[in-house]
Amino acid sequence: MWCAITLCVKLSKLMTAMNTETASISSLEKKRRKKRQERLLRLAIFVSSSLLMTLILMAERSTGIQSAEFAVGEPAPRSLFAPVKVVYEDTKQTEILRRKTADQVPAVLTFQPEKSKEIRQRLSSFLMVLERAKISQSAGQDAGPILAQLPFFIPDLSVKALLSLQNLDSPRKNMDLLFSQTIDRGILASAQKEALRQENYFRVSLKLLDQSEKNFSLQEILTVEEAHKFSEGVLQELYPKERGEKQALLEITRVVLQPNIAVDLDETQKRRKAASENVAAVEEVI
Protein backbone atom coordinates (compact mmCIF):
# COMPACT_ATOMS: atom_id res chain seq x y z
CA MET A 1 0.00 0.00 0.00
CA TRP A 2 2.87 2.25 0.89
CA CYS A 3 4.28 1.56 -2.52
CA ALA A 4 1.02 2.47 -4.14
CA ILE A 5 0.90 5.69 -2.21
CA THR A 6 4.50 6.47 -3.15
CA LEU A 7 3.73 5.72 -6.83
CA CYS A 8 0.74 8.04 -6.74
CA VAL A 9 2.81 10.79 -5.21
CA LYS A 10 5.46 10.38 -7.90
CA LEU A 11 2.86 10.36 -10.64
CA SER A 12 1.29 13.46 -9.15
CA LYS A 13 4.66 15.24 -9.11
CA LEU A 14 5.34 14.15 -12.67
CA MET A 15 1.97 15.47 -13.86
CA THR A 16 2.58 18.72 -12.04
CA ALA A 17 5.99 19.03 -13.69
CA MET A 18 4.49 18.28 -17.10
CA ASN A 19 1.74 20.85 -16.62
CA THR A 20 4.31 23.47 -15.55
CA GLU A 21 6.43 22.75 -18.64
CA THR A 22 3.37 22.95 -20.88
CA ALA A 23 2.36 26.26 -19.35
CA SER A 24 5.88 27.59 -19.87
CA ILE A 25 5.89 26.56 -23.53
CA SER A 26 2.48 28.20 -24.05
CA SER A 27 3.73 31.48 -22.52
CA LEU A 28 6.78 31.64 -24.88
CA GLU A 29 4.62 30.95 -27.90
CA LYS A 30 2.26 33.76 -26.91
CA LYS A 31 5.17 36.20 -26.65
CA ARG A 32 6.45 35.18 -30.05
CA ARG A 33 3.03 35.58 -31.60
CA LYS A 34 2.62 39.01 -30.00
CA LYS A 35 5.96 40.20 -31.40
CA ARG A 36 5.03 38.96 -34.88
CA GLN A 37 1.71 40.76 -34.65
CA GLU A 38 3.43 44.01 -33.59
CA ARG A 39 5.85 43.80 -36.52
CA LEU A 40 3.03 43.19 -38.96
CA LEU A 41 1.06 46.11 -37.51
CA ARG A 42 4.00 48.52 -37.83
CA LEU A 43 4.61 47.37 -41.41
CA ALA A 44 0.95 47.85 -42.26
CA ILE A 45 0.97 51.37 -40.77
CA PHE A 46 4.12 52.34 -42.74
CA VAL A 47 2.75 51.01 -46.04
CA SER A 48 -0.61 52.67 -45.49
CA SER A 49 0.98 56.03 -44.62
CA SER A 50 3.26 55.94 -47.66
CA LEU A 51 0.39 55.08 -49.95
CA LEU A 52 -1.79 57.83 -48.48
CA MET A 53 0.90 60.51 -48.88
CA THR A 54 1.53 59.45 -52.46
CA LEU A 55 -2.15 59.77 -53.26
CA ILE A 56 -2.33 63.20 -51.62
CA LEU A 57 0.65 64.53 -53.64
CA MET A 58 -0.67 63.15 -56.91
CA ALA A 59 -4.27 64.17 -56.46
CA GLU A 60 -5.52 67.45 -57.97
CA ARG A 61 -7.26 69.52 -55.36
CA SER A 62 -9.84 72.16 -56.08
CA THR A 63 -7.69 74.87 -54.43
CA GLY A 64 -4.48 73.91 -56.30
CA ILE A 65 -3.26 74.20 -59.90
CA GLN A 66 -5.40 72.28 -62.34
CA SER A 67 -3.31 71.29 -65.36
CA ALA A 68 -6.39 71.40 -67.59
CA GLU A 69 -6.63 75.17 -66.98
CA PHE A 70 -3.36 75.97 -68.76
CA ALA A 71 -2.05 75.63 -72.28
CA VAL A 72 1.54 76.12 -73.41
CA GLY A 73 2.01 79.49 -75.09
CA GLU A 74 -1.29 80.91 -73.82
CA PRO A 75 -1.81 83.52 -71.06
CA ALA A 76 -2.66 82.11 -67.64
CA PRO A 77 -6.40 82.43 -66.90
CA ARG A 78 -5.73 83.53 -63.34
CA SER A 79 -2.94 84.71 -61.07
CA LEU A 80 -0.92 82.04 -59.33
CA PHE A 81 1.17 82.39 -56.22
CA ALA A 82 4.07 80.08 -55.52
CA PRO A 83 4.11 78.53 -52.05
CA VAL A 84 7.73 79.76 -51.69
CA LYS A 85 9.60 82.78 -53.07
CA VAL A 86 11.44 82.17 -56.33
CA VAL A 87 14.21 84.57 -57.47
CA TYR A 88 15.16 84.63 -61.14
CA GLU A 89 17.16 86.91 -63.46
CA ASP A 90 15.15 89.04 -65.85
CA THR A 91 17.57 88.73 -68.76
CA LYS A 92 15.62 91.12 -70.99
CA GLN A 93 15.54 93.95 -68.45
CA THR A 94 19.17 93.27 -67.54
CA GLU A 95 20.20 93.62 -71.18
CA ILE A 96 18.17 96.83 -71.57
CA LEU A 97 19.75 98.37 -68.47
CA ARG A 98 23.26 97.35 -69.51
CA ARG A 99 22.78 98.75 -73.01
CA LYS A 100 21.42 102.00 -71.59
CA THR A 101 24.41 102.30 -69.25
CA ALA A 102 26.85 101.61 -72.08
CA ASP A 103 25.16 104.24 -74.25
CA GLN A 104 25.80 106.85 -71.56
CA VAL A 105 29.58 106.35 -71.84
CA PRO A 106 30.97 109.26 -73.91
CA ALA A 107 32.98 108.63 -77.04
CA VAL A 108 36.72 109.04 -76.48
CA LEU A 109 38.53 111.56 -78.68
CA THR A 110 42.31 111.97 -78.79
CA PHE A 111 44.48 114.80 -80.04
CA GLN A 112 46.86 114.22 -82.92
CA PRO A 113 49.70 116.59 -82.01
CA GLU A 114 51.52 116.04 -85.28
CA LYS A 115 48.53 117.53 -87.13
CA SER A 116 48.54 120.64 -84.94
CA LYS A 117 52.28 121.03 -85.46
CA GLU A 118 51.87 120.70 -89.23
CA ILE A 119 49.21 123.44 -89.31
CA ARG A 120 51.41 125.88 -87.38
CA GLN A 121 54.47 125.05 -89.47
CA ARG A 122 52.61 125.71 -92.71
CA LEU A 123 51.47 129.11 -91.49
CA SER A 124 54.96 129.95 -90.23
CA SER A 125 56.52 129.01 -93.58
CA PHE A 126 53.90 131.03 -95.43
CA LEU A 127 54.59 134.20 -93.42
CA MET A 128 58.37 133.75 -93.69
CA VAL A 129 58.14 133.65 -97.50
CA LEU A 130 55.95 136.76 -97.46
CA GLU A 131 58.50 138.61 -95.31
CA ARG A 132 61.25 137.76 -97.76
CA ALA A 133 59.04 138.89 -100.63
CA LYS A 134 58.37 142.19 -98.82
CA ILE A 135 62.11 142.77 -98.42
CA SER A 136 62.69 142.02 -102.10
CA GLN A 137 59.81 144.27 -103.09
CA SER A 138 61.14 147.11 -100.90
CA ALA A 139 64.51 146.79 -102.66
CA GLY A 140 62.79 147.28 -106.01
CA GLN A 141 63.26 143.64 -107.03
CA ASP A 142 60.75 141.24 -108.49
CA ALA A 143 59.12 139.30 -105.65
CA GLY A 144 57.55 136.77 -108.02
CA PRO A 145 60.26 134.07 -107.74
CA ILE A 146 60.08 134.26 -103.95
CA LEU A 147 56.28 134.09 -103.87
CA ALA A 148 56.50 130.94 -105.99
CA GLN A 149 58.01 129.26 -102.92
CA LEU A 150 54.86 129.72 -100.83
CA PRO A 151 53.85 126.39 -99.20
CA PHE A 152 50.25 126.99 -100.32
CA PHE A 153 48.49 129.58 -102.42
CA ILE A 154 45.70 132.04 -101.78
CA PRO A 155 44.17 134.53 -104.27
CA ASP A 156 46.58 137.19 -105.57
CA LEU A 157 44.48 140.00 -104.13
CA SER A 158 44.89 138.52 -100.65
CA VAL A 159 48.67 138.17 -101.14
CA LYS A 160 48.92 141.80 -102.27
CA ALA A 161 46.88 142.91 -99.23
CA LEU A 162 49.38 141.25 -96.92
CA LEU A 163 52.39 142.61 -98.80
CA SER A 164 50.97 146.10 -98.49
CA LEU A 165 51.13 145.96 -94.70
CA GLN A 166 53.98 147.68 -92.92
CA ASN A 167 54.79 144.36 -91.23
CA LEU A 168 53.21 140.97 -90.66
CA ASP A 169 52.94 141.21 -86.87
CA SER A 170 49.20 141.80 -86.96
CA PRO A 171 48.39 138.80 -89.23
CA ARG A 172 50.67 136.56 -87.16
CA LYS A 173 49.09 137.67 -83.86
CA ASN A 174 45.53 137.28 -85.11
CA MET A 175 46.21 133.87 -86.66
CA ASP A 176 47.64 132.71 -83.33
CA LEU A 177 44.40 133.87 -81.71
CA LEU A 178 42.36 131.92 -84.25
CA PHE A 179 44.47 128.80 -83.74
CA SER A 180 44.04 128.99 -79.96
CA GLN A 181 40.27 128.86 -80.47
CA THR A 182 40.21 126.22 -83.20
CA ILE A 183 43.11 123.78 -83.47
CA ASP A 184 43.97 124.04 -79.76
CA ARG A 185 40.34 123.33 -79.03
CA GLY A 186 40.31 120.42 -81.47
CA ILE A 187 38.83 119.90 -84.93
CA LEU A 188 37.06 116.66 -85.83
CA ALA A 189 36.44 115.34 -89.33
CA SER A 190 32.85 115.95 -90.43
CA ALA A 191 32.34 112.27 -91.29
CA GLN A 192 33.40 111.15 -87.81
CA LYS A 193 31.15 113.67 -86.08
CA GLU A 194 28.20 112.56 -88.19
CA ALA A 195 28.97 108.89 -87.42
CA LEU A 196 28.94 109.66 -83.68
CA ARG A 197 25.64 111.47 -84.07
CA GLN A 198 24.15 108.51 -85.93
CA GLU A 199 25.26 106.19 -83.12
CA ASN A 200 23.55 108.45 -80.53
CA TYR A 201 26.70 109.76 -78.89
CA PHE A 202 25.77 113.07 -77.29
CA ARG A 203 28.82 113.42 -75.04
CA VAL A 204 32.52 113.04 -75.78
CA SER A 205 35.59 112.80 -73.59
CA LEU A 206 38.58 114.59 -75.10
CA LYS A 207 42.06 113.42 -74.08
CA LEU A 208 44.25 116.49 -73.84
CA LEU A 209 47.96 116.59 -74.58
CA ASP A 210 48.77 116.37 -70.84
CA GLN A 211 46.73 113.12 -70.73
CA SER A 212 43.95 114.71 -68.71
CA GLU A 213 40.40 114.54 -70.05
CA LYS A 214 37.56 117.00 -70.47
CA ASN A 215 33.96 116.22 -71.28
CA PHE A 216 32.08 118.11 -73.96
CA SER A 217 28.79 117.82 -75.71
CA LEU A 218 29.22 116.55 -79.25
CA GLN A 219 27.76 119.84 -80.48
CA GLU A 220 30.71 121.75 -78.98
CA ILE A 221 33.26 119.85 -81.07
CA LEU A 222 34.13 121.73 -84.27
CA THR A 223 34.36 120.23 -87.71
CA VAL A 224 36.55 121.86 -90.39
CA GLU A 225 33.53 123.61 -91.87
CA GLU A 226 32.41 124.82 -88.46
CA ALA A 227 35.96 126.02 -87.70
CA HIS A 228 35.91 128.07 -90.92
CA LYS A 229 32.60 129.67 -89.97
CA PHE A 230 33.83 130.32 -86.45
CA SER A 231 37.01 131.96 -87.81
CA GLU A 232 34.94 134.18 -90.05
CA GLY A 233 33.02 135.46 -87.02
CA VAL A 234 36.22 136.13 -85.04
CA LEU A 235 37.84 137.97 -87.98
CA GLN A 236 34.73 140.07 -88.42
CA GLU A 237 35.14 141.27 -84.83
CA LEU A 238 38.88 141.90 -85.31
CA TYR A 239 38.46 143.75 -88.59
CA PRO A 240 35.05 145.43 -88.51
CA LYS A 241 36.00 147.84 -91.36
CA GLU A 242 39.23 146.64 -93.01
CA ARG A 243 38.57 144.05 -95.72
CA GLY A 244 41.86 143.14 -97.40
CA GLU A 245 43.73 141.71 -94.41
CA LYS A 246 40.58 140.09 -93.03
CA GLN A 247 39.89 138.32 -96.33
CA ALA A 248 43.53 137.23 -96.62
CA LEU A 249 43.48 135.61 -93.16
CA LEU A 250 40.16 133.97 -93.90
CA GLU A 251 41.66 132.47 -97.07
CA ILE A 252 44.59 131.16 -95.03
CA THR A 253 42.31 129.45 -92.48
CA ARG A 254 40.40 127.76 -95.30
CA VAL A 255 43.63 126.21 -96.50
CA VAL A 256 45.50 125.28 -93.33
CA LEU A 257 42.77 124.22 -90.90
CA GLN A 258 42.31 120.44 -90.82
CA PRO A 259 41.17 117.78 -88.34
CA ASN A 260 43.58 117.26 -85.46
CA ILE A 261 41.48 115.04 -83.18
CA ALA A 262 40.06 111.60 -83.91
CA VAL A 263 37.75 109.04 -82.33
CA ASP A 264 39.53 106.35 -80.32
CA LEU A 265 37.19 103.45 -81.12
CA ASP A 266 39.12 100.82 -79.14
CA GLU A 267 39.15 102.87 -75.94
CA THR A 268 35.50 103.83 -76.39
CA GLN A 269 34.39 100.21 -76.79
CA LYS A 270 36.55 99.14 -73.85
CA ARG A 271 34.90 101.69 -71.56
CA ARG A 272 31.42 100.82 -72.80
CA LYS A 273 32.03 97.13 -72.15
CA ALA A 274 33.36 97.79 -68.65
CA ALA A 275 30.37 99.99 -67.79
CA SER A 276 27.96 97.33 -69.07
CA GLU A 277 29.60 94.53 -67.10
CA ASN A 278 29.42 96.55 -63.88
CA VAL A 279 25.64 96.60 -64.03
CA ALA A 280 24.17 93.98 -61.70
CA ALA A 281 21.62 91.54 -63.06
CA VAL A 282 17.98 92.54 -62.62
CA GLU A 283 16.31 90.01 -60.31
CA GLU A 284 12.60 89.39 -59.93
CA VAL A 285 10.86 87.63 -57.05
CA ILE A 286 7.69 85.57 -57.47
Coordinates of all heavy atoms in Angstrom, one line a residue, residues 7 12-13 48 50 52 67 98 100 108-109 112 125 141 157 167 169 177 182 207 210 225 234 274 278:
L7 N 3.9 5.6 -5.4 CA 3.7 5.7 -6.8 C 2.8 6.8 -7.2 O 3.0 7.6 -8.1 CB 3.2 4.4 -7.4 CG 3.0 4.3 -8.9 CD1 4.4 4.6 -9.6 CD2 2.5 2.9 -9.3
S12 N 1.9 12.1 -9.4 CA 1.3 13.5 -9.1 C 2.4 14.5 -9.4 O 2.1 15.6 -10.1 CB 0.8 13.6 -7.7 OG 0.3 14.9 -7.5
K13 N 3.6 14.3 -8.9 CA 4.7 15.2 -9.1 C 5.0 15.3 -10.6 O 5.3 16.4 -11.1 CB 5.9 14.8 -8.3 CG 5.7 15.1 -6.8 CD 7.0 14.6 -6.1 CE 6.9 14.9 -4.6 NZ 8.1 14.6 -3.8
S48 N 0.6 51.9 -45.3 CA -0.6 52.7 -45.5 C -0.3 54.2 -45.5 O -0.8 54.9 -46.3 CB -1.6 52.4 -44.3 OG -1.9 51.0 -44.3
S50 N 2.6 55.6 -46.4 CA 3.3 55.9 -47.7 C 2.3 56.0 -48.8 O 2.3 57.0 -49.6 CB 4.3 54.9 -48.0 OG 5.3 54.8 -46.9
L52 N -0.9 56.7 -48.7 CA -1.8 57.8 -48.5 C -1.1 59.1 -48.9 O -1.7 60.0 -49.6 CB -2.2 57.9 -47.0 CG -3.2 59.1 -46.7 CD1 -4.5 59.0 -47.5 CD2 -3.5 59.1 -45.2
S67 N -4.1 71.3 -64.1 CA -3.3 71.3 -65.4 C -4.2 71.6 -66.6 O -3.8 72.1 -67.6 CB -2.6 69.9 -65.5 OG -3.5 68.9 -65.6
R98 N 21.8 97.3 -69.2 CA 23.3 97.3 -69.5 C 23.5 98.1 -70.8 O 24.5 98.9 -70.9 CB 23.8 95.9 -69.6 CG 23.9 95.2 -68.3 CD 24.3 93.8 -68.4 NE 24.5 93.2 -67.1 CZ 24.7 91.9 -66.9 NH1 24.8 91.0 -67.9 NH2 24.9 91.5 -65.6
K100 N 21.7 100.6 -71.9 CA 21.4 102.0 -71.6 C 22.6 102.6 -70.9 O 23.0 103.7 -71.2 CB 20.2 102.1 -70.7 CG 19.8 103.6 -70.4 CD 18.6 103.6 -69.5 CE 18.2 105.0 -69.1 NZ 16.9 105.1 -68.3
V108 N 35.4 108.5 -76.8 CA 36.7 109.0 -76.5 C 37.4 109.6 -77.7 O 37.5 109.0 -78.8 CB 37.6 107.9 -75.9 CG1 39.0 108.5 -75.5 CG2 36.9 107.3 -74.7
L109 N 37.8 110.9 -77.6 CA 38.5 111.6 -78.7 C 40.0 111.8 -78.2 O 40.2 112.1 -77.1 CB 37.9 112.9 -79.1 CG 36.4 112.9 -79.4 CD1 35.9 114.2 -79.8 CD2 36.1 111.9 -80.5
Q112 N 45.8 114.7 -82.1 CA 46.9 114.2 -82.9 C 47.9 115.4 -83.0 O 47.8 116.2 -83.9 CB 46.3 113.8 -84.3 CG 45.3 112.7 -84.2 CD 44.7 112.4 -85.6 OE1 44.1 113.3 -86.2 NE2 44.7 111.2 -86.0
S125 N 55.8 129.0 -92.3 CA 56.5 129.0 -93.6 C 55.9 130.0 -94.5 O 56.6 130.7 -95.2 CB 56.5 127.6 -94.2 OG 57.1 126.7 -93.4
Q141 N 63.1 144.9 -106.3 CA 63.3 143.6 -107.0 C 61.9 142.9 -107.2 O 60.9 143.2 -106.6 CB 64.2 142.7 -106.3 CG 65.6 143.3 -106.1 CD 66.5 142.4 -105.2 OE1 66.1 141.4 -104.8 NE2 67.8 142.9 -105.0
L157 N 44.9 138.8 -104.8 CA 44.5 140.0 -104.1 C 44.8 139.9 -102.6 O 45.2 140.9 -102.0 CB 43.0 140.2 -104.3 CG 42.6 140.8 -105.7 CD1 41.1 140.9 -105.8 CD2 43.2 142.1 -106.0
N167 N 54.2 145.6 -91.7 CA 54.8 144.4 -91.2 C 53.7 143.3 -91.1 O 52.5 143.6 -91.2 CB 55.6 144.6 -89.9 CG 54.7 145.1 -88.8 OD1 53.8 144.4 -88.4 ND2 55.0 146.3 -88.3
D169 N 53.2 141.5 -88.3 CA 52.9 141.2 -86.9 C 51.5 141.0 -86.6 O 51.1 140.1 -85.8 CB 53.5 142.3 -86.0 CG 55.0 142.4 -86.0 OD1 55.6 141.4 -86.4 OD2 55.6 143.4 -85.6
L177 N 45.7 133.8 -82.5 CA 44.4 133.9 -81.7 C 43.4 132.9 -82.3 O 42.7 132.2 -81.5 CB 43.9 135.3 -81.8 CG 42.5 135.5 -81.1 CD1 42.6 135.2 -79.6 CD2 42.0 136.9 -81.3
T182 N 40.6 127.3 -82.2 CA 40.2 126.2 -83.2 C 41.1 125.0 -83.0 O 40.6 124.0 -82.5 CB 40.3 126.8 -84.6 OG1 41.6 127.3 -84.9 CG2 39.2 127.8 -84.9
K207 N 40.8 113.6 -74.7 CA 42.1 113.4 -74.1 C 43.0 114.6 -74.5 O 43.3 114.7 -75.7 CB 42.7 112.1 -74.5 CG 42.1 110.9 -73.8 CD 43.0 109.6 -74.1 CE 42.5 108.4 -73.3 NZ 43.3 107.2 -73.7
D210 N 48.2 116.7 -72.1 CA 48.8 116.4 -70.8 C 48.1 115.1 -70.3 O 48.3 114.8 -69.1 CB 48.6 117.5 -69.9 CG 47.2 117.9 -69.6 OD1 46.3 117.2 -70.2 OD2 46.9 118.8 -68.8
E225 N 34.5 122.6 -91.4 CA 33.5 123.6 -91.9 C 33.1 124.5 -90.8 O 33.0 125.8 -91.0 CB 32.3 122.9 -92.5 CG 32.6 122.1 -93.7 CD 33.2 120.7 -93.4 OE1 33.2 120.3 -92.2 OE2 33.8 120.1 -94.4
V234 N 35.2 135.5 -85.8 CA 36.2 136.1 -85.0 C 36.9 137.2 -85.9 O 37.1 138.4 -85.3 CB 37.3 135.1 -84.6 CG1 38.5 135.8 -83.9 CG2 36.6 134.1 -83.7
A274 N 33.1 97.8 -70.1 CA 33.4 97.8 -68.6 C 32.1 98.3 -67.9 O 31.7 97.8 -66.9 CB 34.6 98.6 -68.3
N278 N 29.6 96.1 -65.3 CA 29.4 96.6 -63.9 C 28.0 96.7 -63.4 O 27.7 96.9 -62.2 CB 30.1 97.9 -63.7 CG 31.6 97.7 -63.6 OD1 32.1 96.7 -63.2 ND2 32.4 98.8 -63.9

